[in-house]
Short mmCIF file of all heavy atoms in Angstrom, two decimals:
data_model
loop_
_atom_site.label_atom_id
_atom_site.label_comp_id
_atom_site.label_asym_id
_atom_site.label_seq_id
_atom_site.Cartn_x
_atom_site.Cartn_y
_atom_site.Cartn_z
N ASP A 1 54.31 52.92 106.68
CA ASP A 1 53.62 53.79 105.89
C ASP A 1 53.16 53.22 104.50
O ASP A 1 52.75 53.94 103.74
CB ASP A 1 54.63 55.05 105.62
CG ASP A 1 55.88 54.67 105.02
OD1 ASP A 1 56.21 53.48 104.76
OD2 ASP A 1 56.66 55.62 104.60
N ILE A 2 53.33 51.89 104.37
CA ILE A 2 52.88 51.28 103.14
C ILE A 2 51.50 50.51 103.42
O ILE A 2 50.63 50.57 102.66
CB ILE A 2 53.95 50.48 102.46
CG1 ILE A 2 55.20 51.36 102.10
CG2 ILE A 2 53.53 49.63 101.28
CD1 ILE A 2 56.36 50.70 101.81
N GLU A 3 51.70 49.72 104.45
CA GLU A 3 50.57 48.81 104.82
C GLU A 3 49.82 49.39 105.98
O GLU A 3 50.36 49.49 107.07
CB GLU A 3 51.01 47.43 105.16
CG GLU A 3 51.57 46.68 104.04
CD GLU A 3 52.12 45.43 104.46
OE1 GLU A 3 51.63 44.76 105.39
OE2 GLU A 3 53.11 44.95 103.70
N PHE A 4 48.60 50.05 105.68
CA PHE A 4 47.87 50.70 106.78
C PHE A 4 46.42 50.31 106.64
O PHE A 4 46.00 49.92 105.60
CB PHE A 4 48.07 52.16 106.71
CG PHE A 4 47.88 52.79 105.40
CD1 PHE A 4 46.55 53.29 105.01
CD2 PHE A 4 48.86 52.95 104.52
CE1 PHE A 4 46.26 53.72 103.83
CE2 PHE A 4 48.52 53.61 103.25
CZ PHE A 4 47.21 53.98 102.86
N ASP A 5 45.67 50.57 107.65
CA ASP A 5 44.31 50.35 107.69
C ASP A 5 43.52 51.51 107.17
O ASP A 5 43.39 52.56 107.74
CB ASP A 5 43.81 50.05 109.14
CG ASP A 5 42.36 49.78 109.30
OD1 ASP A 5 41.47 50.00 108.27
OD2 ASP A 5 41.83 49.24 110.15
N LYS A 6 43.05 51.49 105.86
CA LYS A 6 42.51 52.62 105.20
C LYS A 6 41.28 53.07 105.92
O LYS A 6 41.01 54.26 105.98
CB LYS A 6 42.26 52.37 103.71
CG LYS A 6 41.72 53.30 102.96
CD LYS A 6 41.52 53.10 101.43
CE LYS A 6 41.03 54.36 100.75
NZ LYS A 6 40.92 54.08 99.34
N GLN A 7 40.54 52.19 106.42
CA GLN A 7 39.25 52.52 107.05
C GLN A 7 39.49 53.43 108.35
O GLN A 7 38.98 54.41 108.47
CB GLN A 7 38.43 51.35 107.48
CG GLN A 7 36.90 51.67 107.99
CD GLN A 7 36.13 52.59 107.13
OE1 GLN A 7 36.11 52.35 105.88
NE2 GLN A 7 35.50 53.51 107.70
N ALA A 8 40.50 53.02 109.03
CA ALA A 8 40.93 53.79 110.19
C ALA A 8 41.51 55.12 109.77
O ALA A 8 41.21 56.20 110.42
CB ALA A 8 42.11 52.96 111.09
N VAL A 9 42.17 55.21 108.64
CA VAL A 9 42.76 56.47 108.26
C VAL A 9 41.57 57.32 107.85
O VAL A 9 41.51 58.51 108.25
CB VAL A 9 43.67 56.32 106.99
CG1 VAL A 9 43.89 57.55 106.25
CG2 VAL A 9 45.04 55.48 107.38
N LEU A 10 40.61 56.85 107.14
CA LEU A 10 39.34 57.67 106.73
C LEU A 10 38.64 58.14 107.93
O LEU A 10 38.09 59.29 107.94
CB LEU A 10 38.46 56.79 105.84
CG LEU A 10 39.07 56.41 104.52
CD1 LEU A 10 38.12 55.58 103.70
CD2 LEU A 10 39.73 57.51 103.65
N GLU A 11 38.52 57.39 108.99
CA GLU A 11 37.84 57.81 110.14
C GLU A 11 38.52 58.91 110.82
O GLU A 11 37.92 59.90 111.35
CB GLU A 11 37.49 56.56 111.08
CG GLU A 11 36.49 55.64 110.44
CD GLU A 11 36.02 54.53 111.44
OE1 GLU A 11 36.55 54.60 112.68
OE2 GLU A 11 35.52 53.55 110.97
N GLU A 12 39.80 58.86 110.96
CA GLU A 12 40.58 59.87 111.61
C GLU A 12 40.49 61.15 110.73
O GLU A 12 40.47 62.20 111.24
CB GLU A 12 41.96 59.39 112.00
CG GLU A 12 42.03 58.23 112.90
CD GLU A 12 41.32 58.58 114.25
OE1 GLU A 12 41.19 59.68 114.62
OE2 GLU A 12 40.96 57.61 114.97
N LEU A 13 40.72 60.93 109.42
CA LEU A 13 40.58 62.09 108.53
C LEU A 13 39.27 62.82 108.65
O LEU A 13 39.12 64.06 108.74
CB LEU A 13 40.74 61.64 107.07
CG LEU A 13 40.79 62.71 106.06
CD1 LEU A 13 41.79 63.81 106.21
CD2 LEU A 13 40.97 62.02 104.53
N ALA A 14 38.16 62.07 108.75
CA ALA A 14 36.87 62.65 108.98
C ALA A 14 36.77 63.40 110.24
O ALA A 14 36.19 64.53 110.23
CB ALA A 14 35.83 61.48 108.93
N ASP A 15 37.38 62.95 111.31
CA ASP A 15 37.44 63.58 112.63
C ASP A 15 38.13 65.00 112.41
O ASP A 15 37.66 66.10 112.94
CB ASP A 15 38.08 62.79 113.72
CG ASP A 15 37.34 61.59 114.14
OD1 ASP A 15 36.03 61.62 113.98
OD2 ASP A 15 37.85 60.58 114.76
N VAL A 16 39.33 64.95 111.82
CA VAL A 16 40.00 66.18 111.53
C VAL A 16 39.16 67.24 110.78
O VAL A 16 39.12 68.36 111.23
CB VAL A 16 41.29 65.90 110.84
CG1 VAL A 16 42.10 67.20 110.50
CG2 VAL A 16 42.30 65.04 111.78
N MET A 17 38.56 66.75 109.76
CA MET A 17 37.79 67.61 108.87
C MET A 17 36.50 68.09 109.58
O MET A 17 36.15 69.33 109.50
CB MET A 17 37.40 66.93 107.64
CG MET A 17 38.64 66.58 106.78
SD MET A 17 38.42 65.62 105.39
CE MET A 17 37.74 66.77 104.31
N ASN A 18 35.98 67.26 110.40
CA ASN A 18 34.73 67.69 111.09
C ASN A 18 35.06 68.87 112.04
O ASN A 18 34.47 69.86 112.12
CB ASN A 18 34.23 66.42 112.07
CG ASN A 18 32.96 66.82 112.71
OD1 ASN A 18 32.68 67.80 113.15
ND2 ASN A 18 32.16 65.68 112.75
N TYR A 19 36.25 68.69 112.83
CA TYR A 19 36.64 69.77 113.66
C TYR A 19 37.06 71.03 113.03
O TYR A 19 36.78 72.22 113.39
CB TYR A 19 37.75 69.29 114.69
CG TYR A 19 37.21 68.50 115.82
CD1 TYR A 19 37.73 67.24 116.04
CD2 TYR A 19 36.28 69.11 116.66
CE1 TYR A 19 37.15 66.41 117.19
CE2 TYR A 19 35.79 68.21 117.79
CZ TYR A 19 36.25 67.00 117.92
OH TYR A 19 35.85 66.20 119.04
N CYS A 20 37.56 70.87 111.72
CA CYS A 20 37.96 71.93 111.04
C CYS A 20 36.74 72.81 110.46
O CYS A 20 36.64 73.98 110.60
CB CYS A 20 38.81 71.68 109.78
SG CYS A 20 40.48 71.14 110.22
N ILE A 21 35.70 72.07 110.12
CA ILE A 21 34.42 72.60 109.67
C ILE A 21 33.79 73.40 110.81
O ILE A 21 33.33 74.55 110.80
CB ILE A 21 33.52 71.58 109.07
CG1 ILE A 21 33.99 71.06 107.79
CG2 ILE A 21 32.08 72.12 108.95
CD1 ILE A 21 33.36 69.97 107.19
N GLN A 22 33.84 72.72 112.05
CA GLN A 22 33.27 73.42 113.31
C GLN A 22 34.00 74.68 113.62
O GLN A 22 33.43 75.66 113.87
CB GLN A 22 33.32 72.51 114.47
CG GLN A 22 32.32 71.31 114.30
CD GLN A 22 32.30 70.40 115.52
OE1 GLN A 22 31.99 70.76 116.60
NE2 GLN A 22 32.68 69.13 115.23
N MET A 23 35.33 74.64 113.43
CA MET A 23 36.16 75.91 113.68
C MET A 23 35.73 76.97 112.75
O MET A 23 35.48 78.16 113.16
CB MET A 23 37.64 75.55 113.54
CG MET A 23 38.50 76.75 113.64
SD MET A 23 38.77 77.31 115.37
CE MET A 23 40.22 76.35 115.78
N SER A 24 35.50 76.69 111.54
CA SER A 24 35.09 77.64 110.44
C SER A 24 33.74 78.27 110.85
O SER A 24 33.54 79.43 110.69
CB SER A 24 35.12 77.15 109.12
OG SER A 24 33.96 76.29 108.92
N GLN A 25 32.81 77.32 111.48
CA GLN A 25 31.58 77.90 111.85
C GLN A 25 31.60 78.75 112.99
O GLN A 25 30.91 79.85 113.09
CB GLN A 25 30.53 76.66 112.08
CG GLN A 25 30.27 75.97 110.78
CD GLN A 25 29.46 74.74 111.03
OE1 GLN A 25 29.96 73.80 111.75
NE2 GLN A 25 28.24 74.64 110.55
N VAL A 26 32.42 78.35 114.00
CA VAL A 26 32.53 79.19 115.21
C VAL A 26 33.20 80.56 114.82
O VAL A 26 32.80 81.62 115.48
CB VAL A 26 33.38 78.41 116.22
CG1 VAL A 26 33.86 79.33 117.30
CG2 VAL A 26 32.63 77.19 116.84
N LEU A 27 34.13 80.51 113.96
CA LEU A 27 34.82 81.80 113.60
C LEU A 27 33.98 82.53 112.60
O LEU A 27 34.34 83.74 112.16
CB LEU A 27 36.15 81.54 113.02
CG LEU A 27 37.20 81.00 114.05
CD1 LEU A 27 38.44 80.64 113.43
CD2 LEU A 27 37.33 81.85 115.25
N ASP A 28 32.82 81.95 112.12
CA ASP A 28 31.99 82.54 110.99
C ASP A 28 32.74 82.95 109.84
O ASP A 28 32.68 84.15 109.45
CB ASP A 28 31.28 83.82 111.68
CG ASP A 28 30.04 84.17 110.83
OD1 ASP A 28 29.54 83.41 110.04
OD2 ASP A 28 29.72 85.51 110.76
N VAL A 29 33.49 82.07 109.33
CA VAL A 29 34.25 82.26 108.01
C VAL A 29 33.81 81.15 107.04
O VAL A 29 33.32 80.16 107.39
CB VAL A 29 35.75 82.19 108.32
CG1 VAL A 29 36.20 83.27 109.16
CG2 VAL A 29 36.16 80.90 108.84
N ASP A 30 33.86 81.53 105.74
CA ASP A 30 33.61 80.65 104.72
C ASP A 30 34.83 79.82 104.40
O ASP A 30 35.85 80.30 104.02
CB ASP A 30 33.28 81.55 103.43
CG ASP A 30 32.90 80.69 102.15
OD1 ASP A 30 33.57 79.69 102.00
OD2 ASP A 30 32.09 81.17 101.46
N ILE A 31 34.72 78.50 104.63
CA ILE A 31 35.78 77.60 104.51
C ILE A 31 36.43 77.58 103.08
O ILE A 31 37.63 77.55 102.94
CB ILE A 31 35.39 76.15 105.05
CG1 ILE A 31 36.68 75.34 105.40
CG2 ILE A 31 34.59 75.54 104.10
CD1 ILE A 31 36.37 74.13 106.18
N VAL A 32 35.57 77.65 102.12
CA VAL A 32 36.11 77.70 100.67
C VAL A 32 36.81 78.84 100.45
O VAL A 32 37.96 78.93 99.71
CB VAL A 32 34.89 77.46 99.66
CG1 VAL A 32 35.35 77.71 98.31
CG2 VAL A 32 34.21 76.28 99.97
N GLU A 33 36.42 80.06 101.00
CA GLU A 33 37.03 81.26 100.70
C GLU A 33 38.46 81.36 101.52
O GLU A 33 39.41 81.81 100.88
CB GLU A 33 36.29 82.58 101.24
CG GLU A 33 36.84 83.82 101.06
CD GLU A 33 35.89 84.95 101.70
OE1 GLU A 33 34.68 84.77 101.54
OE2 GLU A 33 36.48 86.01 102.27
N ILE A 34 38.47 80.92 102.64
CA ILE A 34 39.82 80.90 103.34
C ILE A 34 40.81 79.97 102.84
O ILE A 34 42.00 80.29 102.69
CB ILE A 34 39.67 80.72 104.92
CG1 ILE A 34 39.16 79.32 105.22
CG2 ILE A 34 38.84 81.83 105.51
CD1 ILE A 34 39.22 79.01 106.72
N ILE A 35 40.31 78.78 102.28
CA ILE A 35 41.27 77.96 101.61
C ILE A 35 41.68 78.48 100.34
O ILE A 35 42.91 78.41 99.96
CB ILE A 35 40.64 76.53 101.32
CG1 ILE A 35 40.39 75.81 102.75
CG2 ILE A 35 41.51 75.71 100.50
CD1 ILE A 35 39.61 74.46 102.66
N ASN A 36 40.90 79.09 99.51
CA ASN A 36 41.31 79.78 98.26
C ASN A 36 42.29 80.87 98.49
O ASN A 36 43.28 81.11 97.82
CB ASN A 36 40.13 80.26 97.49
CG ASN A 36 39.52 79.13 96.75
OD1 ASN A 36 40.18 78.33 96.19
ND2 ASN A 36 38.12 79.15 96.61
N LYS A 37 42.09 81.67 99.60
CA LYS A 37 42.97 82.73 99.87
C LYS A 37 44.36 82.18 100.22
O LYS A 37 45.37 82.77 99.77
CB LYS A 37 42.50 83.62 101.01
CG LYS A 37 41.43 84.53 100.69
CD LYS A 37 41.01 85.53 101.76
CE LYS A 37 39.95 86.57 101.35
NZ LYS A 37 39.55 87.35 102.60
N LYS A 38 44.35 81.09 100.98
CA LYS A 38 45.69 80.47 101.32
C LYS A 38 46.36 79.93 100.17
O LYS A 38 47.61 79.99 99.98
CB LYS A 38 45.45 79.38 102.38
CG LYS A 38 46.70 78.77 102.96
CD LYS A 38 47.62 79.76 103.54
CE LYS A 38 48.83 78.89 104.08
NZ LYS A 38 49.81 79.78 104.79
N MET A 39 45.52 79.25 99.25
CA MET A 39 46.10 78.67 98.07
C MET A 39 46.74 79.89 97.14
O MET A 39 47.87 79.56 96.69
CB MET A 39 45.00 78.08 97.13
CG MET A 39 44.67 76.64 97.71
SD MET A 39 45.90 75.47 97.80
CE MET A 39 46.58 75.39 96.15
#
């Protein structure tokens, strides 16, 4: 958990975020609004 491949981390993080954005689009919700409500 100290020495890791940052580029690999960024690529996987991008994949997670990409699918999250797609989910918000499919559900027709404003991603900023739902995050603010949860916050």
Side-chain angles (χ1 to χ4, degrees):
D1 60 352
I2 297 168
E3 295 176 27
F4 54 88
D5 181 345
K6 186 173 180 180
Q7 186 57 41
V9 169
L10 296 179
E11 288 183 15
E12 297 304 336
L13 178 60
D15 287 341
V16 172
M17 295 172 74
N18 185 326
Y19 281 123
C20 289
I21 290 169
Q22 289 182 64
M23 175 77 90
S24 75
Q25 290 176 298
V26 167
L27 296 176
D28 193 28
V29 295
D30 181 324
I31 199 165
V32 173
E33 182 180 321
I34 64 172
I35 291 172
N36 277 321
K37 282 183 179 179
K38 181 62 177 184
M39 285 301 303

